[in-house]
Amino acid sequence: MPEAIAFTLFPTAIGACAIAWNDQGLAGVWLPEASPGHLRRRIAGRHRGALESTPAPTPAEVIARLAALLRGERTTLATVRLDEAGIDAFDRQVYAAARTIPPGRVVTYAALAARIGAAATPRAVGQSLGRNPFPLVVPCHRIVAANGDLGGFSAPGGAATKRRLLTIEDARREGPGELFDDAGDAGSS
C-alpha cells in the first residue's frame, strides 16, 4: 500500500512554496505558482489523494531551511531524507551528485556528468534534472551550461527563476570567472 502523502504551503522570500512528505522522507518540493490554487493543483497532479496538513517536526525543519536558503542564507539541504520510490537509478545518481554542490556554487552539466561516470552525458544529466521532483533540495538550479549560459529550468518562470535563485545565493563558478560576468543585466528581470 502506498505511503500516505501530506503537504503544506509556506511563505518564502520568493512567494509561496510547498513540500510533500511521507514516512519515507520528502516526496516533493514546489516553487511558487501563479496562485496557491495553482500550486495545490500541481501537487494533486503528482500525488493524488495528498492531504494538506500541519508539518511534523522533520518537515517543519525542512521548511525552515528552505525559507532560510531563499532569504540568502548559506543553508545546506544535503542531509534531507528523500522518498526516491519511483525514481530510476540514473536519476538517483544525478540527484546525489547535485546535492554535493554547496549553496553559492555552480558547476556545469559536463562537470556533473563527469562526477557520475562514463555512462553520464551532459544532455542526460540535463534531462534528469528536468524531472527533478525536489528543486532546491536537489539543487538543479546550481548546474549551468559550459558556455556560461544558465541552461534550462523546468520550474515555473524557467531560466528567469533559475537566475533569481542563483542571484539570491550570490552563486559563483568554482575556479576563475564569475557566473554573471557576461550578463550585465543579471539584477534585472
Side-chain angles (χ1 to χ4, degrees), residues 1-7 20-25 27 47-51 83:
M1 177 173 215
E3 297 286 329
I5 302 282
F7 75 92
W21 67 92
N22 61 24
D23 290 341
Q24 300 304 307
H47 298 291
R48 299 205 190 291
L51 298 174
D83 176 2

Side-chain angles (χ1 to χ4, degrees), residues 7-176:
F7 75 92
T8 194
L9 278 60
F10 58 96
T12 73
I14 67 167
C17 292
I19 65 167
W21 67 92
N22 61 24
D23 290 341
Q24 300 304 307
L26 193 65
V29 176
W30 291 265
L31 296 175
E33 290 279 347
S35 71
H38 281 97
L39 195 50
R40 286 181 179 93
R41 283 190 289 282
R42 293 272 301 220
I43 295 164
R46 188 184 308 159
H47 298 291
R48 299 205 190 291
L51 298 174
E52 195 160 1
S53 178
T54 301
T58 299
E61 174 61 26
V62 173
I63 289 168
R65 289 162 66 189
L66 285 166
L69 182 72
L70 292 170
R71 284 191 307 269
E73 296 178 26
R74 297 287 170 111
T75 302
T76 183
L77 298 160
T79 60
V80 172
R81 191 167 46 116
L82 303 177
D83 176 2
E84 294 181 314
I87 296 175
D88 75 39
F90 180 75
D91 288 350
R92 287 180 188 204
Q93 288 181 302
V94 172
Y95 301 165
R99 292 182 82 188
T100 66
I101 305 165
R105 289 299 198 194
V106 296
V107 300
T108 65
Y109 292 99
L112 192 64
R115 290 182 188 185
I116 296 164
T121 65
R123 180 178 296 276
V125 165
Q127 291 169 338
S128 174
L129 293 171
R131 296 185 291 270
N132 175 15
F134 314 105
L136 301 177
V137 176
V138 173
C140 52
H141 64 285
R142 296 182 189 143
I143 297 93
V144 298
N147 67 0
D149 288 344
L150 291 180
F153 196 59
S154 60
T161 298
K162 185 174 188 174
R163 180 179 300 281
R164 185 173 185 195
L165 295 172
L166 293 172
T167 299
I168 288 168
E169 290 187 16
D170 192 25
R172 303 289 182 245
R173 281 184 237 169
E174 294 183 357

